[in-house]
Amino acid sequence: MPYSDPKFTVVNPSPTVDDCIKSMRFRDYCVLAGVTAGSWGYGYVFGKPVRMPTASTAATIGLTFAGLVVLQDTRGRLMGYKENTKEVKLYGAHPNQPELRGVQDPRFPTATGRASVSTKPPLDWKNYD
C-alpha cells in the first residue's frame, strides 16, 4: 500500500486476512474463479505431453495468484485506498480518520503533503545521541 493518506473513508486501518476474506465482493469471487479456470486452460493447451498434470499445476499457480490479488484488493478497500462505499455501509467507518483530501483531477494537481500526521507521525529525534 502507498505510504500516503487514503482517499476514501477508512474502515479498518490494519485488516487481518480473516477481515479481508469476510469482506470479499462478488467480483472478487469471479476473479478467483476466472483466473483459476484461465490458468487451467493455459496449462491444458500448452502441456501437450502430460496435459492433466500440467493443467492442475497451472490451476494451482493461478489460484495462488488470484488469492493474493483479491486479498490485496480487499485490503486496499478496507484501508481506504480504493472505493469502499459498500464496506462503509456494512462495517462502518473507523473512529480515527485521516484528513480526507478526496479524489482530485490528476490533470490539475495541488501541492499538498503526501501524508498527514495520523498516517505518518513526525520523527522523534530525542532518543538519538
Side-chain angles (χ1 to χ4, degrees):
M1 290 293 130
Y3 196 55
S4 61
D5 287 335
K7 293 181 174 57
F8 301 97
T9 306
V10 176
V11 176
N12 188 350
S14 59
T16 62
V17 174
D18 289 336
D19 295 335
C20 293
I21 290 173
K22 290 175 186 174
S23 66
M24 285 174 57
R25 295 181 179 178
F26 180 71
R27 176 192 170 276
D28 298 328
Y29 290 109
C30 290
V31 167
L32 276 170
V35 170
T36 303
S39 59
W40 185 89
Y42 179 83
Y44 185 80
V45 168
F46 291 105
K48 186 159 185 174
V50 283
R51 287 189 187 271
M52 293 307 284
T54 306
S56 299
T57 303
T60 304
I61 293 170
L63 178 66
T64 304
F65 169 74
L68 293 174
V69 167
V70 165
L71 283 176
Q72 182 180 4
D73 190 43
T74 56
R75 182 177 165 95
R77 285 196 308 263
L78 290 175
M79 293 176 70
Y81 290 104
K82 295 185 176 188
E83 182 274 322
N84 61 357
T85 54
K86 292 181 183 179
E87 285 79 10
V88 171
K89 287 180 186 176
L90 188 62
Y91 301 113
H94 193 264
N96 295 334
Q97 294 289 325
E99 300 171 14
L100 294 178
R101 296 192 177 112
V103 179
Q104 299 174 351
D105 190 0
R107 296 176 296 170
F108 307 107
T110 57
T112 60
R114 291 197 62 196
S116 65
V117 178
S118 63
T119 304
K120 182 180 178 184
L123 295 175
D124 182 19
W125 296 99
K126 293 178 182 176
N127 294 334
Y128 298 101
D129 291 346

